[in-house]
Amino acid sequence: AVQEIHVDFHDTCSRLFLERYLLPVRRWCRQHRLLSGGHLNGEDEPRGNADYGYGHILRALRAMDLPGVDVIWRQLFPGGRRHVFPKYASSAAHQTGRRFVAAEIFAVYGNGLQPRQMKWLVDYLLVRGINTFVLSNYAQTRRDHAMAGCRPHLGPVDPLWKYADILYGTIARLGAMLSQGEPVVPTAFYYDIRAIWAGGADRDAAIAWHDRLAEGLLERQRDFDVIDDDQLAGARIEGRRLRIGRQRYEAVVMPPSSWVSAAARATLDAWTAAGGRVLGPDDLSAAPALLAVDPPCPGLRVCKRRLGDQALYFVTHEEDTPTRVRLTLAEDGPVVFCRPSDGALCAVPSSRGAFTWDFEPWGSALFLSGGEADHDLPTPAEGPALPLDGPWTLQPLRRHRPGAHTYEVVPLKTPPAPAALGDWREALGEDFSGDARYAIEFDSPHAGAATLDLGEVRYACAVTLNGRRVGREFFGPFRFEVRLRRGRNRLAVTVTNTLANAIAPAAVEAHWAADCPPVSPYESRQRVFERDSLSSGLVGPVRLILRRA
């Protein structure tokens, strides 16, 4: 009886939150040609439905024109925490016919946030239905107390800012593509919110089942939307499909629960009688798959959108290991790889929608089935390898550092000095943040095309060969197509690290606390994160793969 009172209380509070706040805000926004939107506190934890004032995350998000989530302080992180919560907002958008789904990201990840980690986070959200991003943060000022602030610092004080066009261009292209057409989501996943409201052991069990089954579906490339009792109660049965809002589902995954409402249970019973599929925890592989993967790869995630006669697939590899898989799409037409770095459309060798793809660690790929290509897919170099072991020189070019009242960017005139590949802190100091150039002269046995593989770079770079610009790379892999001279060549690699080193010293922390108050409430958390990214430089190994004539 006490648990039922808990359920009734939270149910009432969540309805009042909609009636008295969210819906009036949306009404006012629409009257003034604006979109209502935002995110809720504690949305990344299912217990937030009982612990915070909104009461029902899905109801609240459905009441917004632009539903969103907040991703801060490593709520999601490669090698760390993962959770399904971005799908709460995308599910609401799919079901209510909203085109855009938002996320605020990067805040409180610290100034050691690495480009590869940024890409992992963006891919993680995109494949779960987010397509609009608010990046935190570019502040109006970095003076005095704002030198610390909420980090990372996006803007000219950040050494990596010169690569921002790569970051923003990639996000813009992927977000634009993944907001086109209609989402293809064949499975609905029941969110046992009434058990969470009930509290106690029922709440703990509901959260455990929720997290376990959500990951189990995604590991099997079974994409899903999240649904609740309200939606089941009002769902329409259309043969073997269940219509909820704008979506039609072929299967519903139900965790064990004794809190499903009577109206929701009645819909499920009627749909089952009509031939619908209600799946339990042991039936996840029976949910419809968006594509076939051989061999099975639990690290792959996929989402799909229908664009008329074409289909768009976004596939991410969320593990830090390379993998080769054979993908088979539901359509048997030609397959095109949409290159996010520049928007090129590259033909993928395929047969009836099946093809082999090599995913880099934390890699991703956007495929268009039935599209027309304007480029051939580049083929990897195959030929003898020429290692570039040294001798190398290292020259610091530009230093970013906190001054008395604001950040300073200082050009340097230090001459090159012999240096080994690896962490440059021994040569440049623990607190060096900025740009430094590695250079080497080497002899090539032939003239012509080659692939330059820099190995590991911490954390971005620009390359010149024989005085000519070759290219820049922000996310990696750090490979470049080059043309060699026969005989002597000169390679220069300008490497840029993060701002973490410059602000790490205890003296900086003490100066901010004493002379630039108030210090951000996130300061201690950010400093812990930033320690992970102090190692900097060209690590390598560096080699040239000479293309056979």
Side-chain angles (χ1 to χ4, degrees), residues 402-524:
H405 296 285
T406 191
Y407 285 90
E408 302 168 349
V409 181
V410 183
L412 303 174
K413 298 182 179 180
T414 309
L421 298 185
D423 191 344
W424 72 26
R425 285 182 292 175
E426 184 174 346
L428 302 182
E430 294 281 342
D431 62 346
F432 183 85
S433 289
D435 307 321
R437 179 187 296 134
Y438 290 83
I440 187 174
E441 293 188 358
F442 63 93
D443 291 319
S444 170
H446 79 164
T451 298
L452 172 66
D453 187 342
L454 297 179
E456 184 177 358
V457 176
R458 300 174 185 166
Y459 291 95
C461 70
V463 176
T464 63
L465 180 65
N466 299 321
R468 294 187 175 185
R469 294 180 181 177
V470 171
R472 302 178 301 152
E473 184 55 61
F474 188 57
F475 301 123
F478 296 94
R479 301 190 194 106
F480 303 85
E481 298 306 308
V482 298
R483 294 197 67 84
L484 300 172
R485 297 173 180 166
R486 185 184 301 275
R488 205 67 168 167
N489 291 261
R490 177 176 173 79
L491 173 68
V493 182
T494 299
V495 174
T496 304
N497 69 342
T498 74
L499 193 61
N501 298 69
I503 63 177
V508 173
E509 186 177 11
H511 166 59
W512 287 349
D515 303 323
C516 305
V519 175
S520 165
Y522 305 128
E523 179 65 18
S524 59

Side-chain angles (χ1 to χ4, degrees), residues 319-338:
E319 303 302 327
D320 197 16
T321 54
T323 188
R324 169 176 284 193
V325 293
R326 186 161 182 81
L327 304 177
T328 303
L329 310 185
E331 301 77 17
D332 60 7
V335 179
V336 172
F337 168 59
C338 306

Side-chain angles (χ1 to χ4, degrees), residues 341-358:
S341 59
D342 59 5
L345 302 177
C346 303
V348 177
S350 63
S351 174
R352 301 186 63 81
F355 58 96
T356 298
W357 196 260
D358 291 308

Side-chain angles (χ1 to χ4, degrees), residues 105-172:
I105 61 172
F106 298 163
V108 201
Y109 276 77
N111 271 328
L113 183 60
Q114 302 166 16
R116 288 182 69 234
Q117 295 166 348
M118 291 180 178
K119 184 177 183 297
W120 186 95
L121 288 164
V122 169
D123 285 348
Y124 188 102
L125 295 170
L126 284 165
V127 81
R128 289 163 177 80
I130 305 295
N131 55 31
T132 304
F133 294 85
V134 180
L135 276 61
S136 180
N137 64 69
Y138 190 110
Q140 294 176 328
T141 180
R142 293 296 182 197
R143 291 190 60 83
D144 296 323
H145 74 276
M147 279 197 289
C150 177
R151 303 199 289 269
H153 291 340
L154 304 181
V157 302
D158 176 17
L160 293 170
W161 181 246
K162 63 181 69 67
Y163 296 92
D165 60 313
I166 299 175
L167 171 65
Y168 294 139
T170 299
I171 292 176

